[in-house]
Amino acid sequence: MTPYERLMAEAIPTGRFGDPVDEARPQRPLMTRQDQQAARRAALVEAQSDWRLPDTASQRKRARSAAVALERSAERAREREESRPRHLRIVPDPNDTQAA
């Protein structure tokens, strides 16, 4: 028998590892399909109860703050670019006979 065949013949353990089966542990009651639908519907109605469309003033404020954030980001990028040391210019050695 090859090592591969031995590996494939081994019993594959299933279940919980290191957790003994405890019959005294209470099981969570399974919700029926209608119970699930009712619970989800109630959560959705509660979430939508006080929701409203944003007014134009808050939309303008949000757009202004986004524009300010974009401007600051561009300014920081410019500052980073300006603060970087410029690369050194390589000057070829005039006495080098091997250079192409």
Side-chain angles (χ1 to χ4, degrees):
M1 184 182 265
T2 66
Y4 178 75
E5 290 170 342
R6 277 197 307 267
L7 178 65
M8 299 315 285
E10 288 181 8
I12 299 174
T14 59
R16 295 180 168 175
F17 301 105
D19 188 13
V21 177
D22 187 11
E23 298 299 327
R25 185 174 58 196
Q27 293 292 326
R28 201 174 86 198
L30 296 175
M31 296 175 75
T32 64
R33 193 78 169 143
Q34 293 172 349
D35 291 344
Q36 288 176 345
Q37 290 174 354
R40 289 180 183 148
R41 183 76 169 152
L44 180 63
V45 167
E46 182 182 344
Q48 290 179 342
S49 65
D50 59 351
W51 184 84
R52 60 185 171 81
L53 286 171
D55 58 348
T56 56
S58 64
Q59 287 177 344
R60 280 194 305 258
K61 183 178 178 182
R62 193 174 303 121
R64 245 190 340 263
S65 65
V68 167
L70 186 63
E71 170 101 17
R72 286 180 186 160
S73 175
E75 185 177 328
R76 277 189 243 120
R78 280 192 300 272
E79 288 173 0
R80 275 195 312 268
E81 184 64 33
E82 290 170 358
S83 68
R84 286 187 189 148
R86 298 293 174 220
H87 64 280
L88 299 175
R89 189 173 62 135
I90 299 176
V91 179
D93 184 10
N95 299 328
D96 187 9
T97 58
Q98 301 293 329

